[in-house]
Amino acid sequence: MPVSAPGPVGGAACVGGELNGMLEVLIARVRRSELLGTAELEKLRVLTADALVTAVMASGTPAARSADALAAAAAPGWATAVGCRTGLPTETAVQVNSLRIHALLRDDSHAATMVHPGAVVLPVALGLAEELGSPAALFLQAVAAGYETMTVLAAPVAEATARRGLRNTTLFGPAAAAVAAGVLMGLDDLRLGAGVLIACGVAGGTLAPLTLGSPEWRFQPGLAACSGLAAARLAATLDEEMLLDMRATTLEGPGGLYATLVGHEVEWERAVDLIECPALLGITHKVHSTCGANQGPATALGELLDRQTIDFADIAAIDVHLSPMSLAYPGTEGRGPFTGDGVYMSRPLALAAIALSGGGPLTSGVLDAAIADDRLEAALALVESHPFDDAEHRHPQAATVVVSLRDGGTIEADTACIGAETLDPPLDAVLARVEDLVSAEAAVAFGEAVRALPGGRVGDILQPLRGETDGDA
């Protein structure tokens, strides 16, 4: 049965006297996204399960150890975090869960806008729902609203900001977190819009840590999430006079957010119209430990090699065709030296590692093995990337991989031929991943809590993962 959105708390909505422009469209789409049908509910179960299973998989990594140390240093609280047996303050739980979800760069993403909504929206929705005692149905509406906000808000400038080296997840994550929190708080349109504007006013973040291999990229989504949560708390308590003084055109107007980010005003309407509604149905799930721009090529090559028995010595070339946006994404053409966290951005490294291992999926362990392999330089030399000529007619993550063999033959794989379940897995497949990571009892309890959504309590979802075992990254 569809879940309907609750009525907003407060009076008629306006910012600066009225909702208008981009903010009006955004809030309208947020409210529509809260109406959850069968497909949306199932997708939300998958998104929730995938994020938390990915968080458990990160156990034993430096990021997870950092998260554990952060939790150990915190005061007692009411929110639950993966791997932590005691309750934490909401903001700490948000940071801990976000850090774990994003640790392996295998959290969900939206290809067209190059954002990771799950690492921002879900930790806020989980933590605040526990703090407020919100019903699970409202938690799901908040998650849907947050995903809608991040993708829609990013759409008009996503490609341009990425080319400039800015990270879209941290630019638009605070607003997404503010909206998710605002829905849980029951904010009306006026205060929800104010939360967006407050959050956008402090948004920022670059791709430099990822492209340079510095580990602070893992903390970016959690910081964006906490920034947005703070914005929502402020919006909920703003004095009425200050609330009415806000100007919606600070998003798309002259000197507004978009113009500041890309150097000129943008035609935002068409870009927003291209994002399906609800946006969460366009979210894909990562199979490989590499940047979202590399998921298509990695998937195509991995499945090709899984179907064919090809010795690495028999490969003469690996030619990749993909969208210009993916091709130009900062850091994805890196060819070394590979140190620290820089391994997650390079497309040549991702494909070389898959070729050396004989197939997919690409895990952090496969990357480590490739870097230690004496054949890596030769493998990197095989990989060349090219833009699609008809990219506008293809999915942003579409890719074609052509493997040329030394005997003169060629083998080709296209993401269009790959089953939809690869990037949009069913719930059973996601839940199966946790069975090797936690006790049988915990796996069953987690699965039951996820399947019960929108029923049950939010705390029931996280409770089985408090004492998880070490995962295999």
Side-chain angles (χ1 to χ4, degrees), residues 53-65 99-101 103-104 471-473:
V53 172
T54 302
V56 176
M57 289 174 63
S59 298
T61 64
R65 293 197 297 271
L99 182 52
R100 277 179 164 267
I101 290 169
L104 301 175
D472 179 10

Side-chain angles (χ1 to χ4, degrees), residues 262-355:
V262 301
H264 56 81
E265 292 185 56
V266 300
E267 297 181 3
W268 57 270
E269 294 95 335
R270 182 175 181 275
V272 169
D273 288 342
L274 291 175
I275 302 296
E276 64 180 298
C277 187
L280 66 88
L281 295 180
I283 300 297
T284 57
H285 301 264
K286 285 188 174 183
V287 180
H288 310 283
S289 292
T290 186
C291 170
N294 302 335
Q295 293 294 309
T299 300
L301 179 61
E303 298 218 355
L304 184 155
L305 294 178
D306 288 340
R307 293 197 309 266
Q308 305 281 338
T309 303
I310 302 173
D311 191 272
F312 172 73
D314 294 330
I315 299 176
I318 301 173
D319 286 289
V320 183
H321 300 266
L322 67 170
S323 72
M325 181 172 68
S326 294
L327 182 63
Y329 199 71
T332 56
E333 278 299 299
R335 292 180 178 267
F338 299 110
T339 58
D341 287 341
V343 300
Y344 292 105
M345 293 299 290
S346 170
R347 182 167 44 252
L349 176 60
L351 300 183
I354 291 172

Side-chain angles (χ1 to χ4, degrees), residues 29 164 336 468:
R29 285 196 53 148
R164 287 182 168 225
E468 100 297 346

